[in-house]
Amino acid sequence: MSAPALPSRFDPKAIEARWQAEWAAHGYFRAPDRPSRPYFAVPIPPPNVTGILTMGHMLGYSVMDILVRQHRMQGNATLWVPGLDHAGLATQVEVRRRLAKEGIRLEDLPRAQILEQIELWRQEHEPRILEQTRAGGFSVDWTRYRYTMDPPAARATREAFVQLYRAGLIYRGERMVNWDPRLRTAVSDLEVLHTEEDGRLYFVRYPWADGSPGGLEVATVRPETIFGDVAVAVHPDDARHSSDVGREVLLPIVNRRVPVITDTAIDPAFGAGALKVTPRHDLVDYEIYRRHPDLPLPASILDDSGRLEGDLVPPELRGLDCDRGREATVKRLEEARLLLRTETYRHSVARSERSDAMIEPRLSTQWFVKMRPLADPAVAAVREGVVRIHPDRWMLSFFRWMETIQDWCISRQVVWGHPIPVSRCAACQEEIVYVDRPASCPKCGCRELIPDPDVLDTWFTSWLWPFLSLGWPEETADLAHYYPTHVLVTGRDIMFFWVARMMMAGLYFTGRAPFSDVYLTGMLRDDRGRRMSKHLGNSPDPLSVIAERGADATRFALVFPTPTDEDGPFGRGPLEGARNFLTKVWNLTRFAQSHTPSGTAPPTTPPALYAHSPLEDRWILSRYAATVAALNDTLARFEISQAATTLYQFLWHDLADRYVELIKDRLAGKGDAVSERTAQATLLFVIERSLRLLHPFVPHMTEELWHALPHEGESVTVAPWPPATEVPRDALAEARMEIVLDSIRLLRNLRAEEHVAVETIPSAWIRPQNEEVATLLKAECGAIEKLARVHPLKLLGPGEATPEGTSTRVSAAGEYFILRPTASIEDTETLRRERDKLAALLRKTRERLADLGFRDRAPASVVREAEEKARELDERLARIDANLKSTGPSEGSGR
Ligand SMILES: [Zn+2]
């Protein structure tokens, strides 16, 4: 039973890997296949294979592990499924970047070679990501690890596509999409960043088609798209242009005729109030085109890499990219004397989050998911409380986004991803949608089937994660036993990308919300206040932080003191705070270990208490009971940092700083044997239980410490969570101890105010407020003396005179006095010299103020300043005089 003595220094390196191996060997984290108990399931947001994990991942994982470990100890069958996301476009961008460094353009490689390169990338990154997860000590069930490109995930993805397609919720259509000309793919609205940038506004004259002089002045930021214009539009109420409407103008350079039309989308205040309409390359223009059925829809004038193309473009400009095309167009406009002027112009520019390329709005044929029918049940689930969002301030953003949700473009023109499960028959053009690709056309039997060239957006797989990871669409035992899951913990930045879509998918495909709670963590910030992100590369590698600080300190620093649901800094400060706290708990346990005789029984029940039991025992047990209750409460509400604070306060302040100090004499055998044994039992009981409560936060250290004390069971990982009702609250003991602790605080403050030297133990007095307080303080006199470092401490009766030479404080419990220290001869000399200096200064100031000439000449503020100075000097002199008087002849020190 007796464990070897704990080393004096807490060294995470010596223990963390050992316990991780031990937990794995025992299979504590493997969820039972057929749970006989209530379950608690958490889907881990699968990290992207794009890179390594960031501290932001560690934050989410820490929160999840706290909840999972608590539920495991509470006796639930817990399942925490780890996984990895193939992150289609994002991964391809990374691989593209890496190839570019070797001078290879990814677009030039055949498809098979691109896939090979991506597979290489995965083989390099996956082990690192898994190593990071293991090093954190997170209690995931590795036997159920899933990858979103695994064959079962591929099948589930196709199944989802087919189901939605058959229900009419997936369609193929020509719509405006955000086109990334660098990556040559459509990207979703959520992958577009809008920034204010300086651009140039060109004022171009469109000549009248009938040959009359002048023309219309058109303002545009994109002169190079003139070739795709179908009209010039003005606002219907714009009086300047009322006579222009219905006429025709000539497109500059190419001299194609287009009409002047009206549309309410035109802002008359912009430029001269006339705008070119280019329906294929601008979202607003496309809408205008749709409102005017007479207008033609010309062919695209930009190819998929954003270069000018097609018959509408003058041959010498074809093949030019956006910038060169603009230059050349502007030059031609100048030569034709059609460029009137230019202005710098600040406007919102849309850029691709993945490649930073300027987004081209592009009319393109893509696959879409109809979102409205899917979004409504998800909104209802949140409104009805079936799914709760924490912190609830994010609910509003959720509703706002869901109300304006657009159809989701799910096709991507990249290589890496799940192919769209659609083929077209070469003979009869039949569109064939399948989970398993047929060998021939079901309609005409033709064997030549042309597969759709695109792949699916990664999120089209990820949104299935909570049930896909349990085996859906197969009716697996896991799906039957562990679905729906309980809580989804993730950064709020992917609330729409992922959380909202998961809710829609869960409700649609399984008929149930995939989880009952969503907990959104804040974003970590670096030393410069920037969000830590993979994108910026400013997050330290969790592995190096863990190597330096240990997993436990890293985990604790992530949840305390900055609230986990708010944005906050992560760095040296929190890490050192965590380290100090862990050292405190380590030393506390070492102290208990060294005061526990070998053969002490494990504390299976709380020590028996009686009315006459020592106040500190009754108090600490009651504080412990309060801590369990507060912890259960805060964790149930997902107030993770508040839970950590509760434990921190209790362990550091109540247990280590107060209780241990109060019982030191008893443990040293200065009282009777019963008192010593009760102190041991109480300390042991509270520490053992506290280690269990702390375990979900810092699993490795608590495991090590738990084994160093008498305990029952093989691991704290599977030890029962302490029941809240094990120890009753003792309100009287807490109220009484509050008075004792207040007395200690007051006397300590007095000591500090009077600059009592550390080694000095001054006399002190208390005049209690009433008889009850007097009885209490009398009984606890020794404790107060010891902790406040005063002696002797005497109680004064109501009529008794206040001792001379004391400083006073008053509280609800009574009056407190401490003997002021006697100043030494040197101190008195210093005071006298100071007094003379101040007196001289005061004299001078007063003379100056008495001089009427000064008062007349000097500005009022200077006079006021001098008056203020005189007053201040006067007060300081009075204080020194009082000091000199009281420290005059010695009245005897407190020794
Ligand atoms: Zn056919």
Side-chain angles (χ1 to χ4, degrees), residues 710-728:
H711 62 271
E712 218 169 45
E714 61 183 24
S715 164
V716 67
T717 302
V718 288
W721 185 252
T725 50
E726 196 176 20
V727 181

Side-chain angles (χ1 to χ4, degrees), residues 807-840:
S807 287
T808 315
R809 276 286 183 110
V810 179
S811 83
E815 285 176 84
Y816 294 76
F817 308 92
I818 192 170
L819 189 66
R820 275 203 296 268
T822 319
S824 64
I825 307 275
E826 298 90 83
D827 286 346
T828 314
E829 270 312 303
T830 313
L831 275 181
R832 289 220 169 94
R833 275 201 300 278
E834 174 80 4
R835 187 198 179 286
D836 295 346
K837 220 167 74 194
L838 292 179

Side-chain angles (χ1 to χ4, degrees), residues 218 234 308 323 349 386 577:
V218 174
V234 297
L308 288 167
D323 291 336
V349 173
V386 176

Side-chain angles (χ1 to χ4, degrees), residues 11-30:
D11 177 16
K13 275 195 202 74
I15 60 173
E16 291 187 345
R18 174 157 49 81
W19 285 117
Q20 284 166 16
E22 190 86 358
W23 296 331
H26 281 88
Y28 291 139
F29 308 148
R30 196 188 182 295

Side-chain angles (χ1 to χ4, degrees), residues 425-430 432 441-446 449:
C425 171
C428 76
Q429 299 300 312
E430 172 78 354
I432 309 153
C441 172
K443 202 171 159 200
C444 76
C446 169
L449 303 180

Side-chain angles (χ1 to χ4, degrees), residues 10 19-20 118 182 186 200 228 321 339 407 426 509 588 647 737 803 858 886:
F10 163 51
W19 285 117
Q20 284 166 16
I118 292 171
R182 194 165 296 160
R200 193 148 275 280
D321 66 18
L339 183 68
D407 284 356
F509 294 111
L588 172 71
L647 281 171
M737 193 52 130
S886 71

